[in-house]
């Protein structure tokens, strides 16, 4: 076995052991024994356990990063998101040992460790994509770094969960991820699916498609995007109509309330005027009664006086 072949053998064996037991649980003795070589051979190639671990981690990071970078080269943002999610899930499916090594000793949200640094690097690429989208849609591009961390973190944590459960399939998981990221909870699609362009891209990556096939894929992608845009515009129109109806209903209720208030004020004014008139009539009756009593008293007084002598 040549020196190059021996080095590759040691990397493969170490990759499997690190995936199963982690860095701390793996020893140089175990690597050497599994490869059926002496410990000095491992030291000669890598200088120690840290050296072989660094090589394994670097290879896995570069492999995953290249897959994500290729996915982000698509033309439309929706396709970029779909292919990036599928790229991560395909890496997990095809390189489970490598993914376990990347996430074993660090959590995606911990902010430290190899996986966190990888996520940060991917987020920096997504940040550029989001900044362009934000600028085109009138949003503040300064918010792109924060949204990039949210988006990449959501996909990464979902990948960690899917590493063990493996259900549903990767395309379905990717479709649901994109459903949440693209539509949000408000407009969530109950039955999401990735676009034909992305599905075909993932299945016909080998061999290279002909120019005719590429044109057909591009036409299919554009058609799907137009349909998706029509649906979005229709939903926006329906939402606008619903808001308009709600505003009209509110205006109607306000008008009815205003009319009720005006009627109540008029009734109250009428009642006040009626009471005022009745009070005025009562005062007039009292005045007449007093005048009558006064005249009676005067008459009685005159009748009670004696006749004057002549």
């Amino acid at each position: 076995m040549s020196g190059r072949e021996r080095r590759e053998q040691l990397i493969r064996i170490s990759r499997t052991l690190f995936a199963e037991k982690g860095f701390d649980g793996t020893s140089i003795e175990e690597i050497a024994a599994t490869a059926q070589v002496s410990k000095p051979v491992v030291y000669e190639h890598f200088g120690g356990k840290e050296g072989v671990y660094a090589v394994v981690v670097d290879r896995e990071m570069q492999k995953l990063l290249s897959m994500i970078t290729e996915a982000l080269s698509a033309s439309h943002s929706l396709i970029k998101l779909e292919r990036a999610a599928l790229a991560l899930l395909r890496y997990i499916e095809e390189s489970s040992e490598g993914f376990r090594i990347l996430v074993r000793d660090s959590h995606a949200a911990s902010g430290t460790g190899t996986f966190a640094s990888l996520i940060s690097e991917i987020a920096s690429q997504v940040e550029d994509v989001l900044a362009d989208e934000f600028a085109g849609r009138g949003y503040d591009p300064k918010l792109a770094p924060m949204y990039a961390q949210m988006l990449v973190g959501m996909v990464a944590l979902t990948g960690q969960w899917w590493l063990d459960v493996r259900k549903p399939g990767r395309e379905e998981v990717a479709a649901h991820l994109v459903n949440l990221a693209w539509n949000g909870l408000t407009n969530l699609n109950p039955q999401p699916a990735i676009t034909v362009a992305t599905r075909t891209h993932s299945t016909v990556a080998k061999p290279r498609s002909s120019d005719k096939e590429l044109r057909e894929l591009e036409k299919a992608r554009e058609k799907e995007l137009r349909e998706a845009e029509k649906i979005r515009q229709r939903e926006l129109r329906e939402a606008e109509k619903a808001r308009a109806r709600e505003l009209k209903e509110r205006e109607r209720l306000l008008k009815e309330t205003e009319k009720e208030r005006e009627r109540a004020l008029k009734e109250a004014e009428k009642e006040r005027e009626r009471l005022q008139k009745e009070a005025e009539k009562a005062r007039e009756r009292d005045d007449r009664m007093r005048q009558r009593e006064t005249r009676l008293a005067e008459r009685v007084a005159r009748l009670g006086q004696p006749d004057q002598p002549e």
Side-chain angles (χ1 to χ4, degrees), residues 92-103:
I92 294 172
E93 193 170 56
E94 297 174 356
S95 304
S96 298
E97 288 184 346
F99 191 70
R100 290 186 189 279
I101 292 171
L102 293 179
V103 302

Side-chain angles (χ1 to χ4, degrees), residues 305-310:
Q305 290 179 357
D307 296 335
Q308 295 288 336
E310 294 182 359

